[in-house]
């Protein structure tokens, strides 16, 4: 399950499905600032649920919301969805670095450094 961290607290996010992908896509392609804020609110509400969104924003009325807070929360939501993918990428890169062929290259480089230090 995906989650986001905001103000030092962890919040569960709704499952990343096509609905969420479409909401994020629409938000990222907003034509105006007003449209962007409206779409960010809709995305935050879908990702966190109305109760948590209201807890964080103090209201769900777009006319009364602190828009800076809304943007920060939206960014935390999108970062939360990306974090699991990023962790998987890092794990794969780490496993790739530990492959025998790369270990042999690292060992050879260490040997060359030793030889160079002796020849100085």
């Amino acid at each position: 399950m995906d989650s986001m961290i905001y103000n030092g607290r962890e919040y569960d996010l709704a499952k990343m499905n096509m609905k969420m992908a479409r909401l994020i896509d629409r938000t990222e392609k907003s034509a105006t600032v007003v449209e962007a804020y409206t779409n960010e609110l809709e995305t935050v509400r879908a990702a966190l649920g109305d109760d948590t969104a209201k807890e964080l924003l103090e209201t769900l009325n777009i006319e009364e919301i602190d828009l800076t807070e809304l943007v920060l929360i939206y960014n935390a939501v999108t970062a939360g969805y990306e974090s699991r993918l990023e962790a998987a990428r890092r794990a794969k890169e780490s496993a790739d670095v530990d492959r025998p062929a790369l270990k042999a290259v690292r060992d050879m480089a260490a040997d060359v450094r030793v030889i160079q230090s002796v020849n100085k």
Side-chain angles (χ1 to χ4, degrees):
M1 166 157 279
D2 294 307
S3 63
M4 71 168 211
I5 305 294
Y6 191 73
N7 285 339
R9 286 188 56 200
E10 185 173 7
Y11 298 90
D12 289 337
L13 297 171
K15 180 168 60 170
M16 174 51 96
N17 55 23
M18 285 305 293
K19 175 186 176 184
M20 288 306 307
R22 285 186 186 101
L23 286 170
I24 292 169
D25 188 52
R26 184 174 63 192
T27 302
E28 297 299 321
K29 293 179 179 176
S30 297
T32 67
V33 172
V34 171
E35 187 180 318
Y37 288 133
T38 302
N39 290 336
E40 285 176 356
L41 178 57
E42 187 176 353
T43 303
V44 166
R45 290 176 73 174
L48 295 171
D50 283 346
D51 291 342
T52 302
K54 186 173 182 178
E55 173 191 330
L56 294 173
L57 293 165
E58 298 177 1
T59 181
L60 296 179
N61 182 339
I62 192 71
E63 300 297 325
E64 298 173 5
I65 286 176
D66 177 339
L67 296 175
T68 301
E69 195 77 15
L70 174 60
V71 172
L72 293 171
I73 294 167
Y74 172 79
N75 289 341
V77 165
T78 56
Y81 282 124
E82 285 294 316
S83 67
R84 189 163 42 125
L85 293 172
E86 184 59 33
R89 277 188 218 112
R90 282 193 307 269
K92 183 182 180 326
E93 288 170 0
S94 180
D96 287 348
V97 168
D98 287 339
R99 288 191 347 230
L102 289 177
K103 184 179 181 324
V105 170
R106 281 194 311 272
D107 292 345
M108 187 183 322
D111 292 344
V112 168
R113 280 192 296 275
V114 168
I115 292 169
Q116 285 176 336
S117 70
V118 169
N119 289 333
K120 285 186 181 183

